[in-house]
Amino acid sequence: MLHHVQLACPPGSEQALRDFYQGVLGLAEIPKPPALAARGGCWFRGHGIELHLGVETDFRPARKAHPGLLVSGLDEWAGRLREAGYPVTFDDDFPGMRRFYSEDPHGNRLEFLEPVGA
């Protein structure tokens, strides 16, 4: 069982992360333990997933590596991202799944999947 996925973010980017992960994706920010909070970044949970965003001083976005987020209502997720100005690129190369790729405000790749017929 997977507890969480961590992605990197640049220093000082917490508000952009909140705007995206809370505002666009509808995840709730969860408090980081005090010893970890001093390092910056944010943690989010919702829709059956938990994502941790950790600060990297020499940040580079993950363009290939990515979390695959299993969701319900794939088209609604795509619409929400498009409406907020984020790219949505559908890909039908995964048998049994409908999916698309997008990215967070810092260019980290995100994959959204839903089983065909769901």
Side-chain angles (χ1 to χ4, degrees):
M1 178 178 284
L2 185 67
H3 181 271
H4 70 274
V5 172
Q6 180 157 328
L7 297 171
C9 64
S13 65
E14 288 82 3
Q15 191 55 54
L17 296 171
R18 290 180 182 106
D19 291 346
F20 179 75
Y21 287 100
Q22 281 184 296
V24 177
L25 298 187
L27 304 178
E29 185 173 3
I30 57 174
K32 292 179 70 172
L36 299 176
R39 299 178 188 175
C42 303
W43 290 4
F44 299 94
R45 182 185 298 143
H47 310 290
I49 58 176
E50 187 167 319
L51 294 172
H52 296 182
L53 285 292
V55 171
E56 281 189 4
T57 304
D58 60 345
F59 170 76
R60 288 182 314 190
R63 301 266 186 216
K64 183 72 173 171
H66 60 274
L69 308 173
L70 190 62
V71 298
S72 295
L74 189 70
D75 294 316
E76 289 82 14
W77 283 89
R80 186 184 311 174
L81 284 155
R82 281 187 184 119
E83 187 175 305
Y86 291 92
V88 172
T89 305
F90 277 87
D91 176 334
D92 60 0
D93 291 339
F94 193 144
M97 292 285 186
R98 292 185 65 229
R99 71 176 177 172
F100 69 83
Y101 293 99
S102 190
E103 59 188 44
D104 75 5
H106 304 300
N108 288 311
R109 186 179 199 187
L110 303 171
E111 179 181 12
F112 295 79
L113 304 105
E114 182 176 46
V116 170

